[in-house]
Amino acid sequence: MNNLMAVAEVIKKAQRPLLCGHVMPDGDSLGSVLALGLGLQRLGKEVTLVSSDPVPDLYHFLPGVETVIVGEVPEGDYDLLVAVDFSVPDRLGSALHAFVKNGLPVAVIDHHVNDHPFGHYNYVRTEAAATGEIIMDLLDLLQIDLNLDLAINLYTAIVTDTGSFRYENTTSETHAKTARLLECGVPVSRLSNYIFGEQPLVLLRLLEAALGTLEVSDCGQIAWMSISREMVQSAGASGQHIEGLINYPRKIKGVELAIVFRELDEQRVKVSFRSKYQVDVNLLAKKFGGGGHVRASGCTVEGPLEQARELVLKEVKEFFREGSDGRHP
Amino acid sequence: MNNLMAVAEVIKKAQRPLLCGHVMPDGDSLGSVLALGLGLQRLGKEVTLVSSDPVPDLYHFLPGVETVIVGEVPEGDYDLLVAVDFSVPDRLGSALHAFVKNGLPVAVIDHHVNDHPFGHYNYVRTEAAATGEIIMDLLDLLQIDLNLDLAINLYTAIVTDTGSFRYENTTSETHAKTARLLECGVPVSRLSNYIFGEQPLVLLRLLEAALGTLEVSDCGQIAWMSISREMVQSAGASGQHIEGLINYPRKIKGVELAIVFRELDEQRVKVSFRSKYQVDVNLLAKKFGGGGHVRASGCTVEGPLEQARELVLKEVKEFFREGSDGRHP
């Protein structure tokens, strides 16, 4: 049964629904829960919004975010749990498990691939770029009109899960729905600035220093940067500013494998790998006792920085040269 | 007279139209010219597409781009010049000036602020996020159906001029029109990679040098970078790599106004302005004989670089200080 109408019906009947997104909430999860929650309040329902994990600072601008209860579920005579943007019980978070175990009816609304969603009522639409798109249809079914607060939440859901309409999941319907949201007065550039736009000055100072170490292999397919503790310190930066820097070598035209060497202390160097299309960097990181995903991985090797770099690059070039098992770009 | 129907009529009557975008072509200028050009060819017209400046490598994927004639205008019995995405004769480029002087009728289609467009037939719609949006309406008036080639050009026009739907100019209509384009099968993620995903190595070399000149005002609201010809040369870069650099100062947290000073030659410095929320940079650029949009504008001032910077920054700080008429952030 994959029926949005049935989900709408059970939600319509509920008087005291409990709404939640998934653990480690993102823009789609939060925006979708908040839009639905604010909408159901307008129908006179007693809505409780919970999140197992804290709301990232980035999303503190979302209308209604102050009503989200974090980390626990208050006592209450709930008559329905609405699980939004996930469909496996693993992503419920511990506080909510007990309610499900005790037989609270569950309605699931999601866009992630899952043939066996865990709700009593389920609606999973994998073609939706964001769960926010489905929530818009649900609000229509419930005859809840959009307003600016709902639109900001739904816009955030869509813009984050599509990477600002750039990912493959973006469809004609995504844009048609976004057109409706903008009619409510969504302040596009302000939200874009909140979500994508702002960088601390220290990050640019660190970037400048990091770019000074950028090297590219003769073949043009491997690019790397090295970040010493001294560089981080004199830029006034910290660990959180280093994470995204690997995107700079990764984005270079023709580069397949990007590496960042980061000095942790005199003995240890953190090595991050990213590949674009072909190299299995999980396999590569495993050679140094690390791991991760096919396109993003990491490991920690012995320092000092220059020695670690030399060791890893030698191995990487060999890995490229082998290229016998589809790892060669 | 600001009448798209009249522009459509004169284009409909033309048999051998000459189409051009502005000097230093960008995604909107090229995508709009190509979409209109390919469309008019389908009506059986003998269309000639010219560009005063070379097409940046980035845009070599645009359908029909190989038909654009660069730097000169072939002899021909043209009966109309269609100027797309600009409305001041300065942005024609030298090769086209002669034709205008000799009395070739001119139709102008643009979205930049200009009360006195230079055409005999003009249509300027400043509410359009991109000239590509206007071209879509024009194609509708001319009863030219969209196809994938047209849609890719128009999508590129819109996505570049809105910064992937993030800038303030993005409207409900922008998304509604993009929804129509995606129905034609635009390969969103592939184009996003072309347009936003890959950077040539020389761009990062230039970025490093540019970041070395980054300064922020004491108030933290004005940030600027200076790009000399020597920097561009030693990075192995060219003009096309400079365009996006202003986003780095613009993105700094707390910065309202970003400026890039670019040395064109010993006498001239190109100054680009971007603002986030409040400063009207069109007004600001006008103080130096330039113009543009409220959040993005530019002008050319007398060099050398240091002198231009000093002059402009003095004026800018005064402009900030005045802040009497809503321009103060």
Side-chain angles (χ1 to χ4, degrees), chain A residues 164 166 168 172 175 179 189 192 197-199 208 212 214 251-253 276, chain B residues 164 166 172 175 179 183 189 192 197-199 205 208 212 214 251-253 276:
Chain A
S164 202
R166 291 182 191 175
E168 208 162 293
S172 177
H175 281 285
S189 78
S192 301
E198 305 227 300
Q199 296 179 324
E208 182 195 349
L214 175 65
K251 273 188 166 186
I252 296 171
K253 214 169 176 169
K276 255 186 209 152
Chain B
S164 203
R166 292 181 190 176
S172 177
H175 281 285
E183 273 169 25
S189 77
S192 300
E198 302 225 306
Q199 295 179 324
R205 299 294 187 207
E208 182 196 348
L214 174 65
K251 274 186 165 188
I252 296 171
K253 216 169 175 166
K276 257 185 204 154

PDB file of all heavy atoms in Angstrom, chain A residues 164 166 168 172 175 179 189 192 197-199 208 212 214 251-253 276, chain B residues 164 166 172 175 179 183 189 192 197-199 205 208 212 214 251-253 276:
ATOM      1  N   SER A 164      20.404  23.245  -4.483  1.00  0.00           N
ATOM      2  CA  SER A 164      20.015  24.430  -5.240  1.00  0.00           C
ATOM      3  C   SER A 164      19.644  24.078  -6.681  1.00  0.00           C
ATOM      4  O   SER A 164      20.096  24.724  -7.627  1.00  0.00           O
ATOM      5  CB  SER A 164      21.128  25.486  -5.206  1.00  0.00           C
ATOM      6  OG  SER A 164      20.610  26.756  -5.470  1.00  0.00           O
ATOM      7  N   ARG A 166      20.474  21.633  -8.568  1.00  0.00           N
ATOM      8  CA  ARG A 166      21.549  21.180  -9.448  1.00  0.00           C
ATOM      9  C   ARG A 166      21.646  19.665  -9.561  1.00  0.00           C
ATOM     10  O   ARG A 166      22.261  19.152 -10.479  1.00  0.00           O
ATOM     11  CB  ARG A 166      22.899  21.691  -8.923  1.00  0.00           C
ATOM     12  CG  ARG A 166      23.068  23.176  -9.059  1.00  0.00           C
ATOM     13  CD  ARG A 166      24.439  23.586  -8.572  1.00  0.00           C
ATOM     14  NE  ARG A 166      24.522  25.025  -8.445  1.00  0.00           N
ATOM     15  CZ  ARG A 166      25.559  25.683  -7.961  1.00  0.00           C
ATOM     16  NH1 ARG A 166      26.622  25.013  -7.554  1.00  0.00           N
ATOM     17  NH2 ARG A 166      25.559  26.992  -7.887  1.00  0.00           N
ATOM     18  N   GLU A 168      20.686  15.602  -9.907  1.00  0.00           N
ATOM     19  CA  GLU A 168      19.941  14.819 -10.888  1.00  0.00           C
ATOM     20  C   GLU A 168      18.477  14.627 -10.516  1.00  0.00           C
ATOM     21  O   GLU A 168      17.635  14.412 -11.386  1.00  0.00           O
ATOM     22  CB  GLU A 168      20.630  13.452 -11.027  1.00  0.00           C
ATOM     23  CG  GLU A 168      20.451  12.801 -12.372  1.00  0.00           C
ATOM     24  CD  GLU A 168      21.499  11.723 -12.578  1.00  0.00           C
ATOM     25  OE1 GLU A 168      22.696  12.073 -12.679  1.00  0.00           O
ATOM     26  OE2 GLU A 168      21.135  10.530 -12.624  1.00  0.00           O
ATOM     27  N   SER A 172      10.960  18.794 -13.479  1.00  0.00           N
ATOM     28  CA  SER A 172      10.049  19.856 -13.868  1.00  0.00           C
ATOM     29  C   SER A 172       9.080  20.167 -12.720  1.00  0.00           C
ATOM     30  O   SER A 172       8.795  21.324 -12.423  1.00  0.00           O
ATOM     31  CB  SER A 172       9.287  19.407 -15.111  1.00  0.00           C
ATOM     32  OG  SER A 172       8.357  20.376 -15.475  1.00  0.00           O
ATOM     33  N   HIS A 175      10.513  22.379  -9.969  1.00  0.00           N
ATOM     34  CA  HIS A 175      10.473  23.816 -10.282  1.00  0.00           C
ATOM     35  C   HIS A 175       9.045  24.354 -10.242  1.00  0.00           C
ATOM     36  O   HIS A 175       8.813  25.477  -9.795  1.00  0.00           O
ATOM     37  CB  HIS A 175      11.106  24.082 -11.648  1.00  0.00           C
ATOM     38  CG  HIS A 175      12.602  24.093 -11.614  1.00  0.00           C
ATOM     39  ND1 HIS A 175      13.327  25.139 -11.090  1.00  0.00           N
ATOM     40  CD2 HIS A 175      13.517  23.182 -12.011  1.00  0.00           C
ATOM     41  CE1 HIS A 175      14.620  24.875 -11.184  1.00  0.00           C
ATOM     42  NE2 HIS A 175      14.767  23.691 -11.737  1.00  0.00           N
ATOM     43  N   ALA A 179       7.880  27.322  -7.847  1.00  0.00           N
ATOM     44  CA  ALA A 179       7.198  28.523  -8.354  1.00  0.00           C
ATOM     45  C   ALA A 179       6.041  28.892  -7.432  1.00  0.00           C
ATOM     46  O   ALA A 179       5.846  30.061  -7.088  1.00  0.00           O
ATOM     47  CB  ALA A 179       6.706  28.286  -9.782  1.00  0.00           C
ATOM     48  N   SER A 189      17.033  35.221  -1.921  1.00  0.00           N
ATOM     49  CA  SER A 189      18.467  35.463  -1.782  1.00  0.00           C
ATOM     50  C   SER A 189      18.879  35.442  -0.314  1.00  0.00           C
ATOM     51  O   SER A 189      19.964  35.005   0.040  1.00  0.00           O
ATOM     52  CB  SER A 189      18.873  36.772  -2.452  1.00  0.00           C
ATOM     53  OG  SER A 189      18.528  37.853  -1.650  1.00  0.00           O
ATOM     54  N   SER A 192      19.133  31.787   0.523  1.00  0.00           N
ATOM     55  CA  SER A 192      20.318  31.226  -0.136  1.00  0.00           C
ATOM     56  C   SER A 192      21.575  31.626   0.614  1.00  0.00           C
ATOM     57  O   SER A 192      22.495  30.826   0.775  1.00  0.00           O
ATOM     58  CB  SER A 192      20.423  31.728  -1.574  1.00  0.00           C
ATOM     59  OG  SER A 192      19.280  31.368  -2.293  1.00  0.00           O
ATOM     60  N   GLY A 197      25.427  30.669   1.390  1.00  0.00           N
ATOM     61  CA  GLY A 197      26.181  31.840   0.967  1.00  0.00           C
ATOM     62  C   GLY A 197      27.327  32.281   1.822  1.00  0.00           C
ATOM     63  O   GLY A 197      28.250  32.905   1.326  1.00  0.00           O
ATOM     64  N   GLU A 198      27.315  32.002   3.090  1.00  0.00           N
ATOM     65  CA  GLU A 198      28.241  32.747   3.922  1.00  0.00           C
ATOM     66  C   GLU A 198      29.439  31.907   4.355  1.00  0.00           C
ATOM     67  O   GLU A 198      29.310  30.735   4.686  1.00  0.00           O
ATOM     68  CB  GLU A 198      27.497  33.276   5.145  1.00  0.00           C
ATOM     69  CG  GLU A 198      26.280  34.087   4.755  1.00  0.00           C
ATOM     70  CD  GLU A 198      26.160  35.405   5.488  1.00  0.00           C
ATOM     71  OE1 GLU A 198      26.081  35.373   6.720  1.00  0.00           O
ATOM     72  OE2 GLU A 198      26.165  36.458   4.816  1.00  0.00           O
ATOM     73  N   GLN A 199      30.601  32.545   4.296  1.00  0.00           N
ATOM     74  CA  GLN A 199      31.821  31.901   4.757  1.00  0.00           C
ATOM     75  C   GLN A 199      32.524  32.860   5.701  1.00  0.00           C
ATOM     76  O   GLN A 199      32.580  34.052   5.441  1.00  0.00           O
ATOM     77  CB  GLN A 199      32.754  31.644   3.573  1.00  0.00           C
ATOM     78  CG  GLN A 199      32.202  30.668   2.563  1.00  0.00           C
ATOM     79  CD  GLN A 199      33.165  30.468   1.412  1.00  0.00           C
ATOM     80  OE1 GLN A 199      33.834  31.394   0.987  1.00  0.00           O
ATOM     81  NE2 GLN A 199      33.234  29.252   0.912  1.00  0.00           N
ATOM     82  N   GLU A 208      43.553  30.550   0.976  1.00  0.00           N
ATOM     83  CA  GLU A 208      44.690  31.162   0.277  1.00  0.00           C
ATOM     84  C   GLU A 208      45.980  30.389   0.580  1.00  0.00           C
ATOM     85  O   GLU A 208      46.732  30.036  -0.334  1.00  0.00           O
ATOM     86  CB  GLU A 208      44.852  32.628   0.708  1.00  0.00           C
ATOM     87  CG  GLU A 208      45.981  33.334  -0.015  1.00  0.00           C
ATOM     88  CD  GLU A 208      46.380  34.646   0.673  1.00  0.00           C
ATOM     89  OE1 GLU A 208      45.648  35.103   1.567  1.00  0.00           O
ATOM     90  OE2 GLU A 208      47.439  35.181   0.318  1.00  0.00           O
ATOM     91  N   GLY A 212      48.293  27.724  -1.901  1.00  0.00           N
ATOM     92  CA  GLY A 212      49.732  27.873  -2.093  1.00  0.00           C
ATOM     93  C   GLY A 212      50.470  26.543  -2.105  1.00  0.00           C
ATOM     94  O   GLY A 212      51.607  26.456  -2.577  1.00  0.00           O
ATOM     95  N   LEU A 214      48.946  23.743  -3.428  1.00  0.00           N
ATOM     96  CA  LEU A 214      48.269  22.902  -4.420  1.00  0.00           C
ATOM     97  C   LEU A 214      49.229  22.388  -5.485  1.00  0.00           C
ATOM     98  O   LEU A 214      49.962  23.147  -6.102  1.00  0.00           O
ATOM     99  CB  LEU A 214      47.152  23.724  -5.085  1.00  0.00           C
ATOM    100  CG  LEU A 214      46.395  23.060  -6.243  1.00  0.00           C
ATOM    101  CD1 LEU A 214      45.609  21.851  -5.749  1.00  0.00           C
ATOM    102  CD2 LEU A 214      45.458  24.060  -6.905  1.00  0.00           C
ATOM    103  N   LYS A 251      37.474  19.843  -7.760  1.00  0.00           N
ATOM    104  CA  LYS A 251      36.758  20.504  -8.856  1.00  0.00           C
ATOM    105  C   LYS A 251      37.632  20.804 -10.063  1.00  0.00           C
ATOM    106  O   LYS A 251      37.122  21.242 -11.097  1.00  0.00           O
ATOM    107  CB  LYS A 251      36.165  21.820  -8.348  1.00  0.00           C
ATOM    108  CG  LYS A 251      34.799  21.682  -7.707  1.00  0.00           C
ATOM    109  CD  LYS A 251      34.253  23.080  -7.434  1.00  0.00           C
ATOM    110  CE  LYS A 251      32.778  23.091  -7.122  1.00  0.00           C
ATOM    111  NZ  LYS A 251      32.283  24.472  -7.015  1.00  0.00           N
ATOM    112  N   ILE A 252      38.942  20.631  -9.941  1.00  0.00           N
ATOM    113  CA  ILE A 252      39.812  20.978 -11.071  1.00  0.00           C
ATOM    114  C   ILE A 252      39.479  20.103 -12.273  1.00  0.00           C
ATOM    115  O   ILE A 252      39.337  18.882 -12.155  1.00  0.00           O
ATOM    116  CB  ILE A 252      41.300  20.814 -10.692  1.00  0.00           C
ATOM    117  CG1 ILE A 252      41.680  21.792  -9.583  1.00  0.00           C
ATOM    118  CG2 ILE A 252      42.202  21.032 -11.919  1.00  0.00           C
ATOM    119  CD1 ILE A 252      43.049  21.554  -8.990  1.00  0.00           C
ATOM    120  N   LYS A 253      39.338  20.747 -13.391  1.00  0.00           N
ATOM    121  CA  LYS A 253      39.036  20.066 -14.651  1.00  0.00           C
ATOM    122  C   LYS A 253      40.093  19.003 -14.922  1.00  0.00           C
ATOM    123  O   LYS A 253      41.291  19.293 -14.901  1.00  0.00           O
ATOM    124  CB  LYS A 253      39.059  21.100 -15.780  1.00  0.00           C
ATOM    125  CG  LYS A 253      38.069  20.819 -16.869  1.00  0.00           C
ATOM    126  CD  LYS A 253      37.954  22.010 -17.801  1.00  0.00           C
ATOM    127  CE  LYS A 253      37.030  21.666 -18.948  1.00  0.00           C
ATOM    128  NZ  LYS A 253      36.702  22.861 -19.723  1.00  0.00           N
ATOM    129  N   LYS A 276      36.185  11.389  -8.546  1.00  0.00           N
ATOM    130  CA  LYS A 276      35.053  11.924  -9.299  1.00  0.00           C
ATOM    131  C   LYS A 276      34.200  10.838  -9.920  1.00  0.00           C
ATOM    132  O   LYS A 276      33.005  10.772  -9.712  1.00  0.00           O
ATOM    133  CB  LYS A 276      35.572  12.846 -10.399  1.00  0.00           C
ATOM    134  CG  LYS A 276      35.372  14.315 -10.098  1.00  0.00           C
ATOM    135  CD  LYS A 276      35.783  15.162 -11.291  1.00  0.00           C
ATOM    136  CE  LYS A 276      36.258  16.527 -10.843  1.00  0.00           C
ATOM    137  NZ  LYS A 276      37.221  17.115 -11.757  1.00  0.00           N
TER     138      LYS A 276
ATOM    139  N   SER B 164      22.174  29.831 -10.125  1.00  0.00           N
ATOM    140  CA  SER B 164      21.458  28.604  -9.757  1.00  0.00           C
ATOM    141  C   SER B 164      20.252  28.911  -8.860  1.00  0.00           C
ATOM    142  O   SER B 164      20.055  28.266  -7.830  1.00  0.00           O
ATOM    143  CB  SER B 164      22.409  27.624  -9.060  1.00  0.00           C
ATOM    144  OG  SER B 164      21.924  26.311  -9.166  1.00  0.00           O
ATOM    145  N   ARG B 166      19.562  31.376  -6.929  1.00  0.00           N
ATOM    146  CA  ARG B 166      19.837  31.854  -5.583  1.00  0.00           C
ATOM    147  C   ARG B 166      19.750  33.367  -5.456  1.00  0.00           C
ATOM    148  O   ARG B 166      19.611  33.884  -4.354  1.00  0.00           O
ATOM    149  CB  ARG B 166      21.243  31.439  -5.145  1.00  0.00           C
ATOM    150  CG  ARG B 166      21.384  29.957  -4.939  1.00  0.00           C
ATOM    151  CD  ARG B 166      22.801  29.632  -4.489  1.00  0.00           C
ATOM    152  NE  ARG B 166      23.021  28.195  -4.521  1.00  0.00           N
ATOM    153  CZ  ARG B 166      24.185  27.621  -4.257  1.00  0.00           C
ATOM    154  NH1 ARG B 166      25.233  28.361  -3.951  1.00  0.00           N
ATOM    155  NH2 ARG B 166      24.307  26.319  -4.314  1.00  0.00           N
ATOM    156  N   SER B 172       8.933  33.610  -9.038  1.00  0.00           N
ATOM    157  CA  SER B 172       8.034  32.494  -9.294  1.00  0.00           C
ATOM    158  C   SER B 172       8.027  32.162 -10.793  1.00  0.00           C
ATOM    159  O   SER B 172       8.044  31.000 -11.191  1.00  0.00           O
ATOM    160  CB  SER B 172       6.642  32.882  -8.808  1.00  0.00           C
ATOM    161  OG  SER B 172       5.733  31.865  -9.092  1.00  0.00           O
ATOM    162  N   HIS B 175      10.985  30.089 -11.999  1.00  0.00           N
ATOM    163  CA  HIS B 175      10.839  28.645 -11.757  1.00  0.00           C
ATOM    164  C   HIS B 175       9.784  28.027 -12.675  1.00  0.00           C
ATOM    165  O   HIS B 175       9.952  26.909 -13.159  1.00  0.00           O
ATOM    166  CB  HIS B 175      10.496  28.383 -10.290  1.00  0.00           C
ATOM    167  CG  HIS B 175      11.687  28.445  -9.385  1.00  0.00           C
ATOM    168  ND1 HIS B 175      12.635  27.453  -9.327  1.00  0.00           N
ATOM    169  CD2 HIS B 175      12.101  29.389  -8.522  1.00  0.00           C
ATOM    170  CE1 HIS B 175      13.573  27.775  -8.446  1.00  0.00           C
ATOM    171  NE2 HIS B 175      13.279  28.960  -7.944  1.00  0.00           N
ATOM    172  N   ALA B 179      10.538  25.064 -15.208  1.00  0.00           N
ATOM    173  CA  ALA B 179       9.758  23.822 -15.222  1.00  0.00           C
ATOM    174  C   ALA B 179       9.442  23.421 -16.668  1.00  0.00           C
ATOM    175  O   ALA B 179       9.573  22.253 -17.043  1.00  0.00           O
ATOM    176  CB  ALA B 179       8.469  23.998 -14.413  1.00  0.00           C
ATOM    177  N   GLU B 183      10.864  20.022 -18.897  1.00  0.00           N
ATOM    178  CA  GLU B 183       9.972  19.093 -19.613  1.00  0.00           C
ATOM    179  C   GLU B 183      10.547  18.685 -20.968  1.00  0.00           C
ATOM    180  O   GLU B 183      10.173  17.659 -21.526  1.00  0.00           O
ATOM    181  CB  GLU B 183       8.586  19.721 -19.802  1.00  0.00           C
ATOM    182  CG  GLU B 183       7.676  19.462 -18.622  1.00  0.00           C
ATOM    183  CD  GLU B 183       6.406  20.300 -18.680  1.00  0.00           C
ATOM    184  OE1 GLU B 183       6.010  20.701 -19.791  1.00  0.00           O
ATOM    185  OE2 GLU B 183       5.837  20.552 -17.609  1.00  0.00           O
ATOM    186  N   SER B 189      21.910  17.758 -14.048  1.00  0.00           N
ATOM    187  CA  SER B 189      23.142  17.581 -13.272  1.00  0.00           C
ATOM    188  C   SER B 189      24.372  17.664 -14.183  1.00  0.00           C
ATOM    189  O   SER B 189      25.427  18.153 -13.781  1.00  0.00           O
ATOM    190  CB  SER B 189      23.124  16.274 -12.483  1.00  0.00           C
ATOM    191  OG  SER B 189      23.383  15.188 -13.313  1.00  0.00           O
ATOM    192  N   SER B 192      24.917  21.325 -14.709  1.00  0.00           N
ATOM    193  CA  SER B 192      25.424  21.912 -13.469  1.00  0.00           C
ATOM    194  C   SER B 192      26.914  21.638 -13.320  1.00  0.00           C
ATOM    195  O   SER B 192      27.673  22.496 -12.890  1.00  0.00           O
ATOM    196  CB  SER B 192      24.690  21.336 -12.262  1.00  0.00           C
ATOM    197  OG  SER B 192      23.320  21.616 -12.361  1.00  0.00           O
ATOM    198  N   GLY B 197      30.558  23.008 -11.787  1.00  0.00           N
ATOM    199  CA  GLY B 197      31.297  21.939 -11.127  1.00  0.00           C
ATOM    200  C   GLY B 197      32.782  21.908 -11.359  1.00  0.00           C
ATOM    201  O   GLY B 197      33.546  21.498 -10.493  1.00  0.00           O
ATOM    202  N   GLU B 198      33.228  22.315 -12.510  1.00  0.00           N
ATOM    203  CA  GLU B 198      34.636  22.152 -12.840  1.00  0.00           C
ATOM    204  C   GLU B 198      35.322  23.503 -12.964  1.00  0.00           C
ATOM    205  O   GLU B 198      34.752  24.461 -13.464  1.00  0.00           O
ATOM    206  CB  GLU B 198      34.757  21.381 -14.155  1.00  0.00           C
ATOM    207  CG  GLU B 198      34.085  20.032 -14.080  1.00  0.00           C
ATOM    208  CD  GLU B 198      34.925  18.918 -14.664  1.00  0.00           C
ATOM    209  OE1 GLU B 198      35.348  19.023 -15.818  1.00  0.00           O
ATOM    210  OE2 GLU B 198      35.179  17.929 -13.938  1.00  0.00           O
ATOM    211  N   GLN B 199      36.546  23.549 -12.509  1.00  0.00           N
ATOM    212  CA  GLN B 199      37.310  24.776 -12.602  1.00  0.00           C
ATOM    213  C   GLN B 199      38.653  24.451 -13.225  1.00  0.00           C
ATOM    214  O   GLN B 199      39.274  23.451 -12.861  1.00  0.00           O
ATOM    215  CB  GLN B 199      37.550  25.350 -11.205  1.00  0.00           C
ATOM    216  CG  GLN B 199      36.284  25.780 -10.496  1.00  0.00           C
ATOM    217  CD  GLN B 199      36.570  26.313  -9.115  1.00  0.00           C
ATOM    218  OE1 GLN B 199      37.460  25.827  -8.430  1.00  0.00           O
ATOM    219  NE2 GLN B 199      35.823  27.311  -8.711  1.00  0.00           N
ATOM    220  N   ARG B 205      44.903  29.128  -9.397  1.00  0.00           N
ATOM    221  CA  ARG B 205      46.148  29.901  -9.270  1.00  0.00           C
ATOM    222  C   ARG B 205      45.827  31.395  -9.169  1.00  0.00           C
ATOM    223  O   ARG B 205      46.422  32.115  -8.373  1.00  0.00           O
ATOM    224  CB  ARG B 205      47.057  29.659 -10.491  1.00  0.00           C
ATOM    225  CG  ARG B 205      47.509  28.215 -10.687  1.00  0.00           C
ATOM    226  CD  ARG B 205      48.408  27.742  -9.570  1.00  0.00           C
ATOM    227  NE  ARG B 205      48.971  26.420  -9.848  1.00  0.00           N
ATOM    228  CZ  ARG B 205      49.333  25.559  -8.902  1.00  0.00           C
ATOM    229  NH1 ARG B 205      49.190  25.863  -7.618  1.00  0.00           N
ATOM    230  NH2 ARG B 205      49.849  24.377  -9.219  1.00  0.00           N
ATOM    231  N   GLU B 208      44.210  32.185  -5.767  1.00  0.00           N
ATOM    232  CA  GLU B 208      45.214  32.294  -4.704  1.00  0.00           C
ATOM    233  C   GLU B 208      45.812  33.711  -4.691  1.00  0.00           C
ATOM    234  O   GLU B 208      45.897  34.351  -3.642  1.00  0.00           O
ATOM    235  CB  GLU B 208      46.322  31.260  -4.912  1.00  0.00           C
ATOM    236  CG  GLU B 208      47.376  31.291  -3.824  1.00  0.00           C
ATOM    237  CD  GLU B 208      48.656  30.550  -4.226  1.00  0.00           C
ATOM    238  OE1 GLU B 208      48.639  29.825  -5.239  1.00  0.00           O
ATOM    239  OE2 GLU B 208      49.671  30.727  -3.526  1.00  0.00           O
ATOM    240  N   GLY B 212      45.216  36.961  -1.951  1.00  0.00           N
ATOM    241  CA  GLY B 212      46.338  37.672  -1.336  1.00  0.00           C
ATOM    242  C   GLY B 212      46.093  39.180  -1.255  1.00  0.00           C
ATOM    243  O   GLY B 212      46.746  39.876  -0.488  1.00  0.00           O
ATOM    244  N   LEU B 214      42.920  40.398  -0.760  1.00  0.00           N
ATOM    245  CA  LEU B 214      41.608  40.573  -0.117  1.00  0.00           C
ATOM    246  C   LEU B 214      41.716  41.461   1.119  1.00  0.00           C
ATOM    247  O   LEU B 214      42.524  41.226   2.004  1.00  0.00           O
ATOM    248  CB  LEU B 214      41.058  39.198   0.292  1.00  0.00           C
ATOM    249  CG  LEU B 214      39.761  39.178   1.101  1.00  0.00           C
ATOM    250  CD1 LEU B 214      38.605  39.717   0.278  1.00  0.00           C
ATOM    251  CD2 LEU B 214      39.450  37.765   1.583  1.00  0.00           C
ATOM    252  N   LYS B 251      30.764  36.439  -0.360  1.00  0.00           N
ATOM    253  CA  LYS B 251      30.276  35.393   0.535  1.00  0.00           C
ATOM    254  C   LYS B 251      30.739  35.556   1.979  1.00  0.00           C
ATOM    255  O   LYS B 251      30.284  34.823   2.860  1.00  0.00           O
ATOM    256  CB  LYS B 251      30.765  34.030   0.028  1.00  0.00           C
ATOM    257  CG  LYS B 251      29.863  33.392  -1.016  1.00  0.00           C
ATOM    258  CD  LYS B 251      30.368  32.005  -1.326  1.00  0.00           C
ATOM    259  CE  LYS B 251      29.363  31.161  -2.055  1.00  0.00           C
ATOM    260  NZ  LYS B 251      29.826  29.756  -2.158  1.00  0.00           N
ATOM    261  N   ILE B 252      31.653  36.466   2.219  1.00  0.00           N
ATOM    262  CA  ILE B 252      32.162  36.596   3.588  1.00  0.00           C
ATOM    263  C   ILE B 252      31.039  37.017   4.528  1.00  0.00           C
ATOM    264  O   ILE B 252      30.276  37.937   4.237  1.00  0.00           O
ATOM    265  CB  ILE B 252      33.307  37.627   3.653  1.00  0.00           C
ATOM    266  CG1 ILE B 252      34.498  37.151   2.818  1.00  0.00           C
ATOM    267  CG2 ILE B 252      33.737  37.858   5.106  1.00  0.00           C
ATOM    268  CD1 ILE B 252      35.579  38.204   2.651  1.00  0.00           C
ATOM    269  N   LYS B 253      30.946  36.318   5.625  1.00  0.00           N
ATOM    270  CA  LYS B 253      29.933  36.594   6.641  1.00  0.00           C
ATOM    271  C   LYS B 253      30.037  38.042   7.092  1.00  0.00           C
ATOM    272  O   LYS B 253      31.106  38.492   7.480  1.00  0.00           O
ATOM    273  CB  LYS B 253      30.162  35.655   7.825  1.00  0.00           C
ATOM    274  CG  LYS B 253      28.900  35.186   8.480  1.00  0.00           C
ATOM    275  CD  LYS B 253      29.174  34.071   9.461  1.00  0.00           C
ATOM    276  CE  LYS B 253      27.885  33.728  10.194  1.00  0.00           C
ATOM    277  NZ  LYS B 253      28.007  32.463  10.911  1.00  0.00           N
ATOM    278  N   LYS B 276      24.558  42.434  -0.978  1.00  0.00           N
ATOM    279  CA  LYS B 276      23.774  41.304  -0.491  1.00  0.00           C
ATOM    280  C   LYS B 276      22.311  41.663  -0.267  1.00  0.00           C
ATOM    281  O   LYS B 276      21.429  41.016  -0.799  1.00  0.00           O
ATOM    282  CB  LYS B 276      24.373  40.794   0.819  1.00  0.00           C
ATOM    283  CG  LYS B 276      25.192  39.520   0.641  1.00  0.00           C
ATOM    284  CD  LYS B 276      25.658  39.013   1.980  1.00  0.00           C
ATOM    285  CE  LYS B 276      26.908  38.164   1.829  1.00  0.00           C
ATOM    286  NZ  LYS B 276      27.714  38.169   3.036  1.00  0.00           N
TER     287      LYS B 276
END
